[in-house]
Amino acid sequence: DTAVSQTPKYLVTQMGNDKSIKCEQNLGHDTMYWYKQDSKKFLKIMFSYNNKELIINETVPNRFSPKSPDKAHLNLHINSLELGDSAVYFCASSYGTATYNEQFFGPGTRLTVL
Amino acid sequence: RKEVEQDPGPFNVPEGATVAFNCTYSNSASQSFFWYRQDCRKEPKLLMSVYSSGNEDGRFTAQLNRASQYISLLIRDSKLSDSATYLCVVNPGYALNFGKGTSLLVTP
């Protein structure tokens, strides 16, 4: 009965490929996020969607394109993968955008680009 | 200067010890403050929110000093299961800003 789920859990691919990561939450939340945790363990916001609308788009290369088909899903597509994209990508969700709301994280997708 | 700074540790302490973590943040307009816990190769999970008046949850006490832009976490009577990375998190109004985390290892 996972609250925030991501697929795949592991992704190993070659430079230049295009890949997608999927995220689903069953908490009834209306706000979802993508974070990147690099090899130095630094966790950084990439995107945020509220009710399927993009509300945060940090300085992320435009090779990264999020898509939210509905409030329960937020997918991340990455074009032309580069070595520096290797990281753990976490999806998260919260109820609303209020700053005090807890964010619930998925288990992460460990991406390795060779 | 990073928005949220923490001592990365590691902190190695024996069971039963008291340990304190500190964190500073740069954005004085920050509105909400948290401590998250991240176990090895797992996702971050909320440990506790931090309020200006200070708050306690069992063995954990969090303090916030807005004037100094300083947040602390105190863990009393450490347990082996407390071993993890503790992330100081600040929300200036648009997204969570994470510190790099402080690693804690509690030993028997």
Side-chain angles (χ1 to χ4, degrees):
Chain A
D1 196 18
T2 308
V4 183
S5 59
Q6 295 179 229
T7 53
K9 190 163 177 153
Y10 299 96
L11 188 51
V12 181
T13 188
Q14 301 285 337
M15 264 197 325
N17 283 350
D18 303 339
K19 290 293 178 186
S20 291
I21 307 172
K22 296 189 176 185
C23 177
E24 177 180 2
Q25 53 92 7
N26 63 6
L27 296 166
H29 290 164
D30 54 3
T31 306
M32 296 185 72
Y33 312 82
W34 277 110
Y35 289 86
K36 177 181 180 180
Q37 188 167 41
D38 60 26
S39 57
K40 295 180 181 171
K41 308 297 183 189
F42 192 46
L43 198 64
K44 195 168 170 59
I45 182 74
M46 299 174 70
F47 302 103
S48 174
Y49 272 72
N50 175 253
N51 284 317
K52 304 192 297 174
E53 297 296 323
L54 181 67
I55 57 172
I56 294 172
N57 183 352
E58 289 294 289
T59 48
V60 176
N62 57 16
R63 297 181 296 105
F64 290 78
S65 51
K67 277 194 175 48
S68 182
D70 55 59
K71 287 196 302 185
H73 295 85
L74 180 61
N75 303 323
L76 183 66
H77 188 76
I78 316 171
N79 288 327
S80 303
L81 277 155
E82 300 178 357
L83 293 176
D85 297 332
S86 295
V88 182
Y89 292 84
F90 286 101
C91 176
S93 72
S94 66
Y95 182 66
T97 57
T99 62
Y100 50 77
N101 288 338
E102 178 181 358
Q103 292 188 17
F104 293 80
F105 285 77
T109 295
R110 190 169 296 271
L111 171 65
T112 302
V113 182
L114 304 174
Chain B
R1 182 184 170 191
K2 289 211 172 21
E3 294 200 41
V4 182
E5 301 224 41
Q6 297 180 247
D7 179 347
F11 283 59
N12 292 340
V13 303
E15 262 185 300
T18 295
V19 61
F21 303 140
N22 303 318
C23 165
T24 56
Y25 61 95
S26 60
N27 188 339
S28 59
S30 296
Q31 301 174 19
S32 299
F33 310 89
F34 311 90
W35 284 100
Y36 274 70
R37 170 188 167 138
Q38 187 172 24
D39 292 298
C40 187
R41 300 180 78 87
K42 298 284 190 182
E43 71 273 22
K45 291 183 180 177
L46 180 67
L47 178 67
M48 58 198 301
S49 300
V50 187
Y51 305 113
S52 296
S53 53
N55 48 301
E56 190 173 304
D57 183 2
R59 299 181 292 108
F60 299 83
T61 301
Q63 296 278 354
L64 167 64
N65 184 321
R66 283 187 186 267
S68 305
Q69 295 177 207
Y70 170 91
I71 305 164
S72 66
L73 176 68
L74 184 76
I75 306 175
R76 290 181 300 278
D77 188 23
S78 299
K79 311 289 184 197
L80 296 177
S81 58
D82 293 335
S83 297
T85 297
Y86 291 82
L87 303 165
C88 178
V89 185
V90 172
N91 192 332
Y94 49 87
L96 295 184
N97 284 337
F98 285 80
K100 287 182 75 170
T102 299
S103 177
L104 172 65
L105 178 62
V106 182
T107 54

